[in-house]
Amino acid sequence: MIGFFEDSKVSVDNSHAERDIRAFVVGRKNWLFAKSSKGAVGSAVCYSIIGTAKANNLKPFQYLTYLFEKLPNSDVNDEEALDQLMPWSDSIPENLKS
């Protein structure tokens, strides 16, 4: 309880977190019918990228389009280059933000 009193930004409930994972809970039964484990992993990665974009106030479709344009020309072993593509990066174009 001390954490709630010391930091006013800490929420008393977890409604926001539960609302964010609702899509996963609804889709969980659908994932049982994935044709392969790689397909299920791919779906989870896509949901994760979209959820992270939403959590960072980005438009998911536009952000995915941006990634598909930038990633083929990026060095995936260069951490700094990948950091620039993360949803929380300051280098994300303004037109991707909600």
Side-chain angles (χ1 to χ4, degrees):
M1 292 298 289
I2 294 172
F4 296 111
F5 296 117
E6 290 180 345
D7 188 355
S8 63
K9 297 177 199 162
V10 176
S11 179
V12 179
D13 62 12
N14 66 347
S15 296
H16 184 72
E18 288 183 7
R19 193 171 44 250
D20 287 346
I21 65 169
R22 188 171 198 283
F24 290 105
V25 174
V26 171
R28 185 173 36 204
K29 288 188 180 180
N30 293 335
W31 298 336
L32 292 173
F33 301 105
K35 290 187 177 184
S36 69
S37 60
K38 287 184 180 182
V41 169
S43 293
V45 169
C46 289
Y47 275 107
S48 178
I49 292 170
I50 291 169
T52 306
K54 287 180 180 179
N56 285 278
N57 298 317
L58 298 179
K59 300 172 190 168
F61 181 79
Q62 286 80 358
Y63 178 63
L64 286 173
T65 302
Y66 175 75
L67 288 180
F68 291 144
E69 290 172 354
K70 296 292 183 182
L71 279 173
N73 301 320
S74 298
D75 179 10
V76 293
N77 296 317
D78 181 7
E79 288 186 26
E80 289 183 27
L82 291 178
D83 283 343
Q84 298 299 315
L85 298 174
M86 294 296 161
W88 52 82
S89 173
D90 292 333
S91 66
I92 294 293
E94 288 296 319
N95 65 328
L96 302 181
K97 298 179 181 176
S98 297

